[in-house]
Amino acid sequence: VEQHGVVDGIYRLSGVSSNIQRLRQEFEGTGCPDLRRDIYLQDIHCVSSLLKSYFRELPNPLLTYQLYDKFADAVATQLEEARLVKIKEVLKELPPPHYR
C-alpha cells in the first residue's frame, strides 16, 4: 500500500466500494489475490479499506475490550518514551493470537 499510494492519509482515504467488494470476494475465494493487478494498484485505497473493514468486523477487537482502559491510559501518557514503555507493557498482556 505504501509503495503505491500517497502516504499522507493513505489509511484514511476510502477505496471504491466495488473494488473493495471484488477484493473481499477474492480473499474469501482463493485466499490470495494478486494485489499487483492494475485494478488494485489504481485504487490502492481499496486494500487499506478492506483491511480496516476486517478489523472492524472482528468479534473481539485486536486490542481487546478487556485491555481497552489500559491502552487508553498508556496512550494518554505525556512523555513519548514513557508512553512507548506503557504501550509495550500492555501489548505483552494481549492473548497470543492477538499479540501475533
Side-chain angles (χ1 to χ4, degrees):
V1 171
E2 291 175 3
Q3 288 178 345
H4 300 285
V6 177
V7 176
D8 290 341
I10 191 168
Y11 297 102
R12 288 180 292 177
L13 298 174
S14 294
V16 175
S17 76
S18 60
N19 291 342
I20 296 168
Q21 290 308 316
R22 181 180 292 116
L23 185 58
R24 179 188 296 263
Q25 289 172 350
E26 286 189 37
F27 269 110
E28 289 173 352
T30 63
C32 190
D34 183 2
L35 299 178
R36 295 169 293 178
R37 288 178 50 201
D38 283 343
I39 190 166
Y40 301 132
L41 291 178
Q42 291 171 2
D43 179 25
I44 197 65
H45 301 291
C46 73
V47 176
S48 56
S49 293
L50 182 59
L51 180 63
K52 290 187 292 187
S53 173
Y54 171 79
F55 285 128
R56 271 194 307 273
E57 294 170 8
L58 288 172
N60 191 12
L62 192 59
L63 306 178
T64 65
Y65 292 122
Q66 295 79 5
L67 295 175
Y68 179 84
D69 290 335
K70 289 184 179 184
F71 276 112
D73 290 341
V75 298
T77 303
Q78 294 299 314
L79 296 173
E80 183 177 2
E81 188 173 318
R83 180 173 50 247
L84 292 175
V85 168
K86 288 184 178 187
I87 291 171
K88 286 178 184 179
E89 289 171 0
V90 180
L91 286 172
K92 289 178 185 175
E93 294 183 44
L94 284 169
H98 293 250
Y99 185 82
R100 281 192 304 276

